Each structure stands twice: as structure tokens, then as C-alpha cells.
Amino acid sequence: MIDVNNLSVSFAGTQIFSGLSFKLTSGNRVGLIGKNGAGKSTLLNLIAGEQEFEGTLAIDKNTKIGFLKQDIDFNYGKTILEETYLAFSEITSIEVELENIHNELENRKDFESEAYHEVLHKLDDLSHRFELIGGYNYKGDTERILKGLGFKSADFDKQTDTLSGGWRMRIELAKLLLQNNEVLLLDEPTNHLDLESILWFESFLKSYKGIVLVVSHDRMFLDNVTNRTIEISLGSIYDFKKPYSQYLVIRKELIEKQLQAQKNQEKQIKHTEQLIEKFRYKASKAAFAQSLIKKLEKVDRIQVDVTDNSVMNIRFPVAEQSGKVIFTLEEVSKSYADNLVIDTYSLLIERGSKIAFVGQNGTGKTTLAKILVNEIDYDGKVEVGHNVKIGYFAQNQADYLNGENTLLEEMETVANDTNRIRIRNMLGSFLFGGDAVEKKVKVLSGGERNRLALCKILMNPFNVLIMDEPTNHLDMLSKNVLKNALKTFEGSLILVSHDRDFLQGLVEKVYEFRENIIKEYLGGIDYYLQQRKFDNFREVEKVEVIKEIKNTIQKPSREQEKNKKRIKNSIGKMEIKIEQLEKTIANLDKLIENRDESITQLDFFKAYQNKKDKLEMMIQEWTNLQELIIE
């Protein structure tokens, strides 16, 4: 259990929140919501023991807490498997000790000595502990979790140095899930996951027995996973045992009831004040007036919960008009090693287009956006139209900020003599007013960094805007403000997004990326969904996942059926052998425990260790065969 009581946190003289109190128990899956900068990540840091605070925070002794941060420190020079195995520090440590003991026993001959028997006891204790904490299963568990998060078996030996930030984040998430933590603190966990991985992760969390505290701006993810919502607003919290969408309804109804009750109370107070004013100067009614005054003083005034409705003020500066055609693509292709992403695609985009790129992650949406802004190499030809000035917001745009700069200094990096005078006003429009402009970029939350990155882009005019997942890290209000600003943008717009609500009313044409093919839909998002006969992007993408599963599992070839049967037979035989060998080892363990005279021979220990090694190999082989059945 986690018991938070009267918790307060300040930073650089500014109070983030005060007087927070709540309890979390096993089975609580809490969506932690609030505006960017409200203190959500701060609260996670605090529970993880990485933030100072005032008040009381009680956590059960020996509680294992796993913390997935927005920004991670990553080790290089390891394969994906090696990096993920770091989740098992105790297991790998015992592995090394067991290997050292085995080597020692092979070289010792003092079988009757007390020291030798102490080594045997240590071997027995370590072996028991190794088995107890999953030492014989951790490699199989690791591969299962990695596959659930989108990795393939062929990826396991790749160096982590070659991975993008999103794939590195998945490894951190895998390590977290493998550690058997009793508490999971998750800060924007879905920002780097594609649909298939999100669906798997949702399933995992719904069956998780511990405490989950998750910060997310993905409404559907919160609704599918959480059973409780805590909102931080203006330094206070609102706590309801409902998922996000149900919480919003309850919160709205509560405020409406408070407003009505306050209105009725104010009427009553006003009527009482009128009576007091009428009778207070009349001698015959003075006592009555005094009793009304005392009664009024005792009234507990109804307070309406205050909501933080401050929002960004965005206006996209439009450059002079471009030519009629802004992009012409001729037989454009792009591959990453052996992975063909875009296959000889031709396209013409005209001025004034409002386009959405949709489809599963990894199908080429971001790749084509980068090709349009000439950020990566490609095959084919791309011609940019006359007088085209591009504004580009990358999926990881906030990563290009210099953490050591203040907000003012960071804005200066894109300023010129014409717009420098506007910097403070621009920052104020993005809710960085007053002394906040002197903050270091590195202390900003993920959403605040995204706002700053967006603010930098708007310093200079453009007539073509390309945005890749611009709503990542943005709170709900900020997403709505951005959408309204894009609606009034007079230039050409290309958006990469999975968010139907965000795209609705913004685009007039949809390009769907699927199986190396880009298909054009001459209509907005609603038209596209109608044509695809699905209610939302998750259903569209989920069907692609289901199709892949049906193609590989539900319709196997005759040869695949035979192979599957052979594997099942091998598994059955292997299980019998494992059971027999485990019984043999158990009998030998009893001999060692009882210090039987027959164990004084060196050959006995060699045979004993050979059986232990063989059992481990057989269990690993059994795990591999099981994986083949699953695949």
C-alpha cells in the first residue's frame, strides 16, 4: 500500500502542489491526469524516491517499484537481449556465483573437509534461490515480453546503439515488466508504442495485480486500463474510482451541482442580508436582526471546484503564397537495410492541401515526411514547388532543444533582427510568462518541452506545415487549442497522427500506408473511416494485426501442420525426460544433504553437475519449442 498524506512540493520558490492526500492499494490502476506542468511527473518522481517533499509518504517495506520515465539513461555496446537481461541483476549475479562454485568443485579434492562441505551447502542454497526467483525461466520470459512489445527473434542480437529512442524505450518497458514489481509508475508509456504493442500492453496491465500509476494523454488507453482517476489541478487533486471518460462526466456533474447549490445559497444569503438591513435599525426588531447576523456568520459558504482553463494562444505565421504545386514525387522508394518501406511511389501535392498520413507504425508515414523535408536519403525524385517555405515538427522535435539553455536563450537560437522583439510575447502565448522564461529547458516536463518546440517553429513564417505526431505529451486542452489553430492556418498542411478526434475537421484527404502501398482517400477522416467501415483507427489497425495472425496461425499449410505436430511430440517427450531428470537430481540432493558416504568420489560430483547442466539445457530447449508453437 502507498499512503500519501498532506504532501507538498515546491521548486525554485514556486509551489507545484500542496496538501495532497490519497491511498493506493493492490489492484488500483490509476490514471494521473492534469495540464502540462501540473506536477504529474513530479508526483511519480516523489513516489519513486527521487524527489524531496514535505508531508508523509508511507510505502510498505520491501515494496518493489518500477519506474518508466519519459527520458531514460541508456547503456550502449550491448545487444537487445543483453540489455534486457539487466532486469535480472540477482539472477545473473547468482549465475556467476554458481559457475564459480562449479569450477571450484571440479578442481578441489578435499572431499572430507569442512570447507568443502560448506561450499556444497552454499551451492545448494544458491541453486534453491536461483530456482525460486525464476533462474531457469528468465531467458524464455525475456523473449516472450520482447516479442509482445514488437521485437522479432531476429532482432535479439542487434546492438542497442542502432535503435531509435522509441525502440530503446520499449526495452526499458520490457525490463520493467520482467522485474515482478509490486508498483508500476509509468510516464507516457504509449508515446513510442505502435498499435499492436499498445494492445498487448493493455492486456498485460489489465491482468496486473499490483498498483499502477500512469500518466497518459491517450484517452482510449486510460479508459481501457485504469479503474481510478486522479487529476492534479491548481495544486489540488480530484480523485474518483472511475476511468477517465467516466470521471469527466462525474466531474462536470459535480461542478454543475456545486454551481447550483452556490447559486441557491447566494439567494438565501442575499435575502437574509436584506432582512438584516430592513430590521437592524428598528428597536423592536434589533434582536431579530442580531440573530440573523449571527446565523449568517455561521454559514459555511459553498465553494465551486476551480479548474485550470489557461491555454496556449497559437497563431501560425503564413509566408507569401507558394506555387500551385508544392511537392512532386516520382517513383520514390526507401529501404532500411533489407526492409522496404516505400516502394516506387509517385505523388503530386497541390497548394492548400490538408492531408493526413495514417496507418500502423513502421509503414512509412514518418519516412515520407522526412523525405519531403529532405532529412533522409531516398531513391527517386522529389521536386519542391516554387516559393515553398516548410515548417516541420518532427515526432522527436523536443529532443533538439538544448537542456542547458534558458527558455529565452533557446528562443534566441531561431531569432533574427525582425522577430527578436517578439520572443517574450511568444513565450507568454505558450504559457511561459514572467520568471518562467529564465527556467532551464531541462527542468520542463515533456508537454512543456513540446510547447516550447512548437513555439520555436512559429517564430518564422511558412506556407507548408508538416507535423509528425504533434500531440504527443500535450494535455487535452493544449491538443484542442492546437487543433483550432490549425483549422485557421491558411497554408498547406500534412499531419501524421493516429488521433481521430484531433484529425477530424482538419484534413480533406487521407493517405493510408499499408503493406508498402500508399492509398489515397479523397475525403476527410470520417469519409476514410466510412470507406474502411471502422469506427476508429484502433479498429483499422487491429484488423491488420488480426489478418497477420490468421495468415500465420489459422491457415497453416499441410507442411506447417506436420511440423507443428512433430514439435508437440518433441515437447511431450522432453517433458517426460525433464521430469525423470528432476527426480534423479532430487535424490542426489538428498544424498548430499545427508552427507552419504557414496558422495566422496569426485566422479559423483562431476556426474551430479552434468545432470544439473543437462536439466538447464533441456528446460531452455523446452522453452524454445514452446515459442515455436506460439509463433
Side-chain angles (χ1 to χ4, degrees), residues 428-439:
S429 296
F430 280 76
L431 306 182
F432 299 119
D435 294 337
V437 300
E438 299 297 341
K439 283 183 180 179

Side-chain angles (χ1 to χ4, degrees), residues 119-132:
V119 173
L120 288 180
H121 280 299
K122 185 177 181 181
L123 173 64
D124 186 54
D125 291 342
L126 286 174
S127 298
H128 179 70
R129 177 62 182 168
F130 187 72
E131 182 178 5
L132 187 67

Side-chain angles (χ1 to χ4, degrees), residues 447-479:
E448 288 173 321
R449 287 200 296 271
N450 254 29
R451 292 209 313 259
L452 180 61
L454 186 57
C455 186
K456 283 182 65 176
I457 288 175
L458 301 190
M459 283 291 286
N460 295 294
F462 43 79
N463 48 37
V464 175
L465 179 57
I466 301 174
M467 306 189 84
D468 190 356
E469 301 290 0
T471 60
N472 278 358
H473 302 293
L474 291 184
D475 58 54
M476 306 298 183
L477 280 175
S478 296
K479 284 203 286 189

Side-chain angles (χ1 to χ4, degrees), residues 66 116 315 326 332 364 369 380:
Y116 188 85
R315 181 178 175 276
I326 57 174
V332 171

Side-chain angles (χ1 to χ4, degrees), residues 241-377:
K241 293 181 179 179
K242 297 289 183 182
Y244 178 72
S245 293
Q246 293 180 41
Y247 161 76
L248 288 182
V249 174
I250 294 173
R251 182 96 159 84
K252 182 180 179 182
E253 290 175 350
L254 178 63
I255 291 176
E256 288 174 352
K257 288 178 180 178
Q258 287 176 336
L259 285 169
Q260 186 59 47
Q262 187 186 59
K263 187 176 179 180
N264 293 336
Q265 186 186 62
E266 287 174 349
K267 283 183 180 178
Q268 187 63 42
I269 290 172
K270 185 176 181 181
H271 177 67
T272 303
E273 288 174 340
Q274 288 173 343
L275 289 175
I276 292 171
E277 190 64 26
K278 182 177 180 180
F279 297 125
R280 71 191 306 169
Y281 300 112
K282 295 182 179 180
S284 61
K285 299 290 185 179
F288 175 61
Q290 285 299 315
S291 67
L292 289 177
I293 291 172
K294 290 179 180 179
K295 181 181 178 182
L296 200 59
E297 288 174 348
K298 294 179 181 179
V299 170
D300 188 9
R301 304 293 176 110
I302 295 173
Q303 299 293 323
V304 177
D305 291 337
V306 180
T307 55
D308 186 358
N309 293 315
S310 56
V311 294
M312 300 183 293
N313 180 19
I314 303 176
R315 181 178 175 276
F316 291 97
V318 183
E320 57 186 277
Q321 194 175 76
S322 66
K324 183 177 180 181
V325 176
I326 57 174
F327 292 112
T328 303
L329 285 69
E330 296 180 10
E331 297 187 343
V332 171
S333 298
K334 177 63 181 178
S335 296
Y336 295 97
D338 296 329
N339 182 25
L340 178 64
V341 179
I342 297 175
D343 187 9
T344 57
Y345 186 63
S346 297
L347 173 67
L348 184 144
I349 302 177
E350 295 185 336
R351 180 182 65 227
S353 295
K354 310 289 184 182
I355 297 171
F357 289 172
V358 304
Q360 282 184 285
N361 288 350
T363 52
K365 306 184 301 295
T366 293
T367 295
L368 185 56
K370 289 181 177 181
I371 287 173
L372 293 178
V373 298
N374 199 31
E375 190 173 286
I376 57 175
D377 296 329

Side-chain angles (χ1 to χ4, degrees), residues 597-614:
E597 293 180 0
S598 63
I599 69 171
T600 58
Q601 301 298 319
L602 179 61
D603 289 341
F604 173 91
F605 290 104
K606 285 185 178 180
Y608 173 81
Q609 189 55 47
N610 286 337
K611 286 180 172 57
K612 297 276 283 189
D613 292 340
K614 185 177 180 181

